[in-house]
Amino acid sequence: DDFKSFRHVPIEEWGKEIDIEWDFDLKNPIYNSFENEEWFPEDVLIIGLVNLDELFLAIPRVHQLKGDEIWEYRDEDKINRAILHWKKGGKMTPILISFLEDHGINAVVMHAGFHRFSVCCLLRLDQIPFFTPISSKEQIEKRLKTVRWI
């Protein structure tokens, strides 16, 4: 097994070997780490692309992790597996976000893909794709000015 931890390896050493590939097929059970029916049973998911920095600032502070915070507060094994998967040329589904208006929360929230998001933050990607329910589209557009629908 070629597994190793990337925690103490400079990003310049492992990051240049990664080609981030996304799988937009929600029916693919290999890469689909969430069941969209459980999250939004009455809704259709749509695909967007957004500036990573803008999304980072839009999500709740508890998820705004940088550098060593990512390794400290996320599951290190999941981060390493995501890095290895991409290094081997694998694809992963994008993150799942929505707009939540509940219990005084009016924010863009992430439901799935925290570790994929963390790897993208470590790599300082310019943009990141996401799934969102169509019912969140209008509010997402209001809060994420760089969003593009694909």
Side-chain angles (χ1 to χ4, degrees), residues 102-137:
D102 191 23
H103 305 292
I105 298 172
N106 292 305
V108 175
V109 294
M110 198 174 347
H111 299 279
F114 296 97
H115 296 90
R116 285 164 275 179
F117 179 77
S118 294
V119 172
C120 292
C121 288
L122 286 170
L123 292 170
R124 303 181 59 114
L125 295 186
D126 290 330
Q127 297 184 331
I128 188 168
F130 62 89
F131 291 121
T132 194
I134 199 164
S135 60
S136 287
K137 183 179 181 187

Side-chain angles (χ1 to χ4, degrees), residues 86-109:
W86 273 323
K87 280 176 69 80
K88 291 178 180 179
K91 293 181 179 183
M92 284 191 249
T93 54
I95 62 174
L96 174 64
I97 66 172
S98 74
F99 183 77
L100 183 63
E101 292 179 277
D102 191 23
H103 305 292
I105 298 172
N106 292 305
V108 175
V109 294

Side-chain angles (χ1 to χ4, degrees), residues 67-79:
D68 289 338
E69 290 177 325
I70 290 171
W71 294 104
E72 186 175 341
Y73 296 110
R74 294 275 180 245
D75 183 326
E76 185 173 339
D77 181 58
K78 287 185 178 183
I79 293 171

Side-chain angles (χ1 to χ4, degrees), residues 21-115:
E21 292 288 332
W22 299 101
D23 182 352
F24 297 104
D25 185 358
L26 282 170
K27 293 180 174 67
N28 189 336
I30 297 171
Y31 306 115
N32 187 359
S33 66
F34 57 90
E35 296 295 331
N36 63 312
E37 294 80 17
E38 294 175 14
W39 293 102
F40 306 101
E42 312 268 320
D43 221 332
V44 173
L45 294 181
I46 57 176
I47 304 167
L49 186 66
V50 69
N51 176 280
L52 183 66
D53 291 336
E54 182 183 26
L55 179 59
F56 182 88
L57 294 173
I59 61 177
R61 173 61 187 112
V62 69
H63 299 300
Q64 293 178 1
L65 304 177
K66 295 180 181 179
D68 289 338
E69 290 177 325
I70 290 171
W71 294 104
E72 186 175 341
Y73 296 110
R74 294 275 180 245
D75 183 326
E76 185 173 339
D77 181 58
K78 287 185 178 183
I79 293 171
N80 283 313
R81 285 188 293 146
I83 292 168
L84 277 174
H85 188 75
W86 273 323
K87 280 176 69 80
K88 291 178 180 179
K91 293 181 179 183
M92 284 191 249
T93 54
I95 62 174
L96 174 64
I97 66 172
S98 74
F99 183 77
L100 183 63
E101 292 179 277
D102 191 23
H103 305 292
I105 298 172
N106 292 305
V108 175
V109 294
M110 198 174 347
H111 299 279
F114 296 97
H115 296 90

Side-chain angles (χ1 to χ4, degrees), residues 132-147:
T132 194
I134 199 164
S135 60
S136 287
K137 183 179 181 187
E138 184 178 330
Q139 291 297 334
I140 294 286
E141 287 174 340
K142 286 180 183 177
R143 280 152 181 84
L144 301 174
K145 302 301 182 196
T146 62
V147 72

